[in-house]
Amino acid sequence: MSKNSSNTFWSMVTVLTAIAVLSAFILAFVEQLTREPIQKAKDQRELEAIAEVVGEFDNDPFAEQMNIVTPDKKYKLKLYPARKNGSISGFAVKTYSNAGYGGRIELIAGFYIDGSVKTFKITKHNETPGLGSKADEPRFKKQFDGFNPNKHKFKVRQDGGEIDGITAATITSRAVIDAIQHAVDAYNNFNPGKQP
């Protein structure tokens, strides 16, 4: 390698290294700059979902959130108590199932004070548009209102339960029930036999 070729090679390495370091610095700076606004937007969407599934509350569910786990310790979930005039009026649980047709389904399930389901809001999924995505529509959700998984068969009818699955999306229906069941199991494990 000639002296000119060697100088050119090391010049290119120096320039590329400088570009890589500068790019890394810029990416880290932008990530730091956007982290807080992204988290605030995510928290706001989550707070709106909590309000949708529990109704009115006058406390800060984030400030009172608790970590709860299923008895087998496989599912670590978040419980958000909802208070009205100082008394607990219900609670929400951020839960999930990995059994969806498109993989993981995340949702926030709302519960009445007696532990029966109020409703749920799907917050993230990869289900088929027009089929599995119907799990978040009122027609499917309304049958959960007042349903107590501790007292009834909490499965789709095809599996001997009492919930009508979504036509052509039974896997998604099962995954929603699975996610809510995790929330029920974790809550029962956290507070066995007691009112919240």
Side-chain angles (χ1 to χ4, degrees), residues 46 49-50 53 77-78 80 92-97 104-111 117 119-125 135-136 140-141 144 154 172-183:
E46 207 160 282
I50 292 168
V53 301
L77 310 175
K78 290 202 180 297
Y80 303 96
V93 178
K94 184 177 179 182
T95 183
Y96 65 94
S97 172
R104 186 175 172 116
I105 293 177
E106 297 178 10
L107 58 90
I108 295 181
F111 295 88
V117 179
T119 189
F120 62 89
K121 172 71 178 166
I122 295 177
T123 55
K124 188 175 180 182
H125 73 87
D136 211 26
F140 178 65
K141 291 167 71 166
F144 289 81
F154 195 44
T172 303
S173 305
R174 286 181 181 127
V176 168
I177 291 169
D178 184 49
I180 295 172
Q181 186 66 59
H182 295 321

Side-chain angles (χ1 to χ4, degrees), residues 51 54-59 82-84 89 118:
V54 296
E56 287 186 41
F57 53 85
D58 56 18
N59 66 316
R83 296 182 189 274
K84 189 77 172 160
S89 55
K118 187 169 188 178

Side-chain angles (χ1 to χ4, degrees), residues 2 36 44 48 60 77 82 102 106 113 123 129 137 147 161 164 179 194:
S2 70
E36 189 175 335
Q44 183 59 38
E48 288 167 4
D60 178 2
L77 310 175
E106 297 178 10
I113 198 75
T123 55
E137 292 180 0
F147 194 98
D164 290 320
K194 297 178 185 172

Side-chain angles (χ1 to χ4, degrees), residues 35-193:
R35 181 185 301 157
E36 189 175 335
I38 289 170
Q39 187 60 47
K40 280 185 180 177
K42 183 179 175 189
D43 288 349
Q44 183 59 38
R45 284 192 306 273
E46 207 160 282
L47 199 57
E48 288 167 4
I50 292 168
E52 186 176 324
V53 301
V54 296
E56 287 186 41
F57 53 85
D58 56 18
N59 66 316
D60 178 2
F62 284 161
E64 297 186 49
Q65 70 181 311
M66 294 169 253
N67 293 316
I68 59 176
V69 296
T70 53
D72 60 9
K73 309 278 190 274
K74 285 184 179 177
Y75 294 87
K76 293 176 177 75
L77 310 175
K78 290 202 180 297
L79 179 138
Y80 303 96
R83 296 182 189 274
K84 189 77 172 160
N85 300 321
S87 297
I88 292 183
S89 55
F91 57 96
V93 178
K94 184 177 179 182
T95 183
Y96 65 94
S97 172
N98 291 318
Y101 185 76
R104 186 175 172 116
I105 293 177
E106 297 178 10
L107 58 90
I108 295 181
F111 295 88
Y112 292 105
I113 198 75
D114 68 355
S116 58
V117 179
K118 187 169 188 178
T119 189
F120 62 89
K121 172 71 178 166
I122 295 177
T123 55
K124 188 175 180 182
H125 73 87
N126 294 308
E127 301 303 279
T128 307
L131 290 175
S133 62
K134 289 183 178 179
D136 211 26
E137 292 180 0
R139 185 174 177 178
F140 178 65
K141 291 167 71 166
K142 70 181 178 183
Q143 64 188 318
F144 289 81
D145 188 11
F147 194 98
N148 192 325
N150 294 317
K151 297 178 181 176
H152 301 282
K153 293 181 180 176
F154 195 44
K155 296 180 179 180
V156 290
R157 291 198 192 278
Q158 294 95 315
D159 299 337
E162 300 176 31
I163 300 290
D164 290 320
I166 302 161
T167 304
T170 305
I171 293 172
T172 303
S173 305
R174 286 181 181 127
V176 168
I177 291 169
D178 184 49
I180 295 172
Q181 186 66 59
H182 295 321
V184 170
D185 293 344
Y187 179 74
N188 290 342
N189 185 49
F190 163 74
N191 203 9

